[in-house]
Amino acid sequence: TMAALGVPMRSLFRSGERAAAIMAERRAGGHDLLVVGSRAPGRRGPQLAQELARQREGAPLLIVRPAGLTALE
């Protein structure tokens, strides 16, 4: 986990439209980096990444994929 690597982090659970909830938390918390996981294609992860890329308001967006998963799969 990130904590084991000495990276401060926290997990939050929210309801509502995903990208809007994430962006509201980014603004409220003053976060300077968005990190999202992306699962296998066909699931909703790539859609969320696209939504965040459009709404990210200048914040860098890091998309983390499972080991062995390429962008073309």
Side-chain angles (χ1 to χ4, degrees), residues 20-72:
I22 291 169
M23 294 310 300
E25 174 57 31
R26 189 194 86 71
R27 285 188 299 276
H31 306 295
D32 57 0
L33 173 65
L34 297 171
V35 180
V36 296
S38 178
R39 296 183 180 184
R43 299 206 177 173
R44 294 174 54 169
Q47 294 169 348
L48 175 59
Q50 290 172 357
E51 293 170 29
L52 288 172
R54 285 191 296 271
Q55 299 181 34
R56 64 190 176 94
E57 301 169 354
L61 174 62
L62 175 62
I63 303 169
V64 181
R65 298 179 185 273
L69 180 64
T70 67
L72 300 177

Side-chain angles (χ1 to χ4, degrees), residues 2 12 15 18 24 41:
M2 299 301 287
L12 300 171
S15 62
R18 299 174 305 161

